[in-house]
Amino acid sequence: MTKPPRYQRRRRSPPGTPPGTLTADPDAGETRVRAIRFNAEGVSEDDSLAPCAPGSILWLNIDGLADTDLLQKIGTSFGLHPLALEDVVNVHQRPKAEEYEAHQFIVLRMPEPGQDGLHTEQVSIFLGDGFVITVQEHAGDVFDPVRTRLRNPLGQMRKRGADYLCYALVDAAIDAYFPVLEALGEKLEQLEDTVVFDPDAVDMGDIHVLKRELMSIRSAILPMRDVVATLQREETQRFSDNTRLYLRDCQDHAVQLIETIQTYREIATGLVDILLSSQSNRANEVMQVLTLIATIFIPLTFIVGVYGMNFDDMPELHWRYGYPAVMGIMGLIAVVLAIWFYRKGWLGRR
C-alpha cells in the first residue's frame, strides 16, 4: 500500500511555458458545470452556459480541472484573463486578490479533511459585471449555506449584487475553518490531559501530526486575511461601499482564526516539552532506583569479595556461626541503607 506524501506536492507548468497556457493535470477531477441564476423574483439552476437575462446574477460553479478546452471556452465567453485562467489550473497558488480590466480574480484555500490528514483545496473566484465564477479542484465544497440562502424566497441575497455573492463565498470559505479548528482543539485538549496524567500513553507522532495540520491551516488563513484587506480598499472597484462593510466581518473572522491557530500551536509546542520532560523524569526515576540498588549492593559485594579470598588462616571460616553471622551483617547493612535512603527522600517518595 503506497504511503501518501507527508506534504502535498502541487503540479506546476514546465519551465519556459508561455504565460496563459492551460496544461491539464492528469490527476485532475472530471469537469462539471453548475449554474445558478437569480434575481429578486426567483432563482433557477441548470448546467448550461447560457447568459443571464438583464437584471439577473449568474453564479457559475465549475468542479474539476480536467477539461481545459471548456475552461478556455468559459474564459473567452466571460472575458477572463489568460493569466488568471493559468492560475486556476495550476493549483499551487497562494491566496491572493488581483484586479483585471474585466473582472476581479480571487484565490482562496478551502479546508478538505481526509483520511490521511487535513489538506486544503484551491478555490478560484471571478467577479465581473453580473456574474460570479467559482472554480474548484473537484466536486464538494463549503458553499451549500450560500446556495440555501439563494433558494430561500424570504432571504435578502437575491436582492443583492454579484459583489455581495462574492463576499458570501469568501466568508463561507473562511468560516469553514472554524469547525476544523474546533475538532483540532478537542484533540489538543485530550492530548493535554493525557500528557499530564498518563504521559506513557501519548505518542509523540500524534502531537506532530496536530502541529502539521495547524501549520497547514495557518499557511492558508494568513494570506487570506491579506486578501480580504485588499478587497476592502477603495481602489477595488468591483465591491460597493455597502459590501465592504461586510468584508470587515470576514477580516475579523480571519484574525480570530489566526489568533486561535497561534494559541493552539503554542499549546502543542508546550505539550511536546511537557512530554519530553515527563519522559526525562521517568528515566531519572529509573536511574535513581537502579543507583540506589547498586549502592546497597556495594558494601555487600565488598564483604562477599573479602570472604571469597582463598586464605586458610581466616578465623571466621572455621567458626560454626560464621556463615549466618556474615549473612546477618549483610542483611543488616542492606536494611540500614534502605531506611537511610527512605528518610532522605530518595526511596519510596515522590
Side-chain angles (χ1 to χ4, degrees):
M1 192 172 180
T2 304
K3 182 179 179 181
R6 175 172 294 181
Y7 303 103
Q8 273 190 305
R9 298 181 177 89
R10 299 292 183 178
R11 183 177 181 275
R12 300 173 181 268
S13 299
T17 301
T21 302
L22 302 187
T23 304
D25 188 343
D27 298 328
E30 180 183 358
T31 303
R32 297 180 180 179
V33 178
R34 184 179 183 183
I36 299 180
R37 299 171 179 81
F38 65 93
N39 52 30
E41 285 71 29
V43 60
S44 63
E45 302 182 38
D46 53 46
D47 56 358
S48 69
L49 301 178
C52 278
S56 297
I57 305 297
L58 170 64
W59 174 16
L60 191 64
N61 184 75
I62 303 171
D63 296 330
L65 304 173
D67 193 347
T68 55
D69 293 336
L70 177 60
L71 295 176
Q72 190 71 59
K73 177 181 177 182
I74 294 174
T76 303
S77 300
F78 291 90
L80 307 182
H81 199 280
L83 291 178
L85 285 176
E86 182 183 8
D87 289 342
V88 169
V89 176
N90 298 325
V91 293
H92 58 270
Q93 304 299 320
R94 185 176 184 267
K96 61 182 179 178
E98 297 176 344
E99 188 168 8
Y100 293 90
E101 182 178 357
H103 59 82
Q104 178 81 40
F105 178 56
I106 304 170
V107 175
L108 303 175
R109 302 214 68 88
M110 182 174 59
E112 184 185 22
Q115 295 180 354
D116 56 341
L118 176 67
H119 301 291
T120 58
E121 174 188 352
Q122 177 174 310
V123 178
S124 304
I125 303 177
F126 294 91
L127 169 62
D129 295 333
F131 70 87
V132 174
I133 301 176
T134 56
V135 187
Q136 308 169 33
E137 296 182 35
H138 46 72
D141 54 38
V142 297
F143 299 143
D144 284 340
V146 179
R147 298 185 180 96
T148 301
R149 292 167 62 186
L150 285 174
R151 297 185 185 110
N152 184 8
L154 302 179
Q156 296 295 318
M157 182 172 290
R158 295 184 186 178
K159 302 176 183 178
R160 307 277 186 169
D163 60 337
Y164 187 85
L165 173 60
C166 183
Y167 144 74
L169 296 173
V170 174
D171 184 60
I174 294 177
D175 288 351
Y177 285 93
F178 280 104
V180 176
L181 275 184
E182 290 176 1
L184 293 179
E186 292 178 358
K187 292 182 181 179
L188 191 61
E189 184 177 353
Q190 294 175 358
L191 284 174
E192 188 175 16
D193 293 338
T194 307
V195 166
V196 173
F197 298 106
D198 189 12
D200 294 335
V202 178
D203 185 2
M204 182 71 75
D206 295 337
I207 301 179
H208 283 295
V209 169
L210 186 60
K211 290 182 65 177
R212 190 163 62 244
E213 291 181 347
L214 289 173
M215 284 293 296
S216 177
I217 298 176
R218 183 179 182 274
S219 63
I221 289 295
L222 195 59
M224 286 169 64
R225 177 192 61 181
D226 300 332
V227 169
V228 178
T230 301
L231 298 179
Q232 292 184 70
R233 297 173 185 167
E234 294 183 358
E235 294 82 0
T236 305
Q237 303 297 327
R238 294 291 172 181
F239 289 89
S240 63
D241 294 337
N242 185 40
T243 304
R244 289 195 184 97
L245 295 177
Y246 292 97
L247 287 172
R248 293 179 185 176
D249 186 57
C250 290
Q251 180 85 1
D252 294 339
H253 291 178
V255 172
Q256 183 180 353
L257 286 170
I258 293 173
E259 292 176 349
T260 303
I261 293 170
Q262 186 64 28
T263 301
Y264 285 173
R265 287 184 62 200
E266 293 177 358
I267 294 175
T269 302
L271 289 182
V272 174
D273 296 337
I274 294 174
L275 183 58
L276 292 177
S277 298
S278 299
Q279 293 176 349
S280 178
N281 291 337
R282 177 62 177 169
N284 290 337
E285 291 176 359
V286 173
M287 291 301 299
Q288 180 182 2
V289 172
L290 294 177
T291 302
L292 294 178
I293 294 174
T295 303
I296 291 175
F297 275 90
I298 286 176
L300 306 184
T301 305
F302 172 76
I303 295 174
V304 171
V306 170
Y307 286 99
M309 294 186 295
N310 192 17
F311 290 110
D312 202 25
D313 56 351
M314 298 178 68
E316 295 85 357
L317 296 179
H318 305 286
W319 183 34
R320 179 179 180 182
Y321 300 103
Y323 177 75
V326 171
M327 296 301 295
I329 293 173
M330 293 173 62
L332 180 62
I333 292 175
V335 172
V336 170
L337 287 176
I339 294 174
W340 185 56
F341 292 153
Y342 179 80
R343 289 184 176 180
K344 286 287 187 179
W346 300 344
L347 184 67
R349 295 181 182 177
R350 298 290 185 265

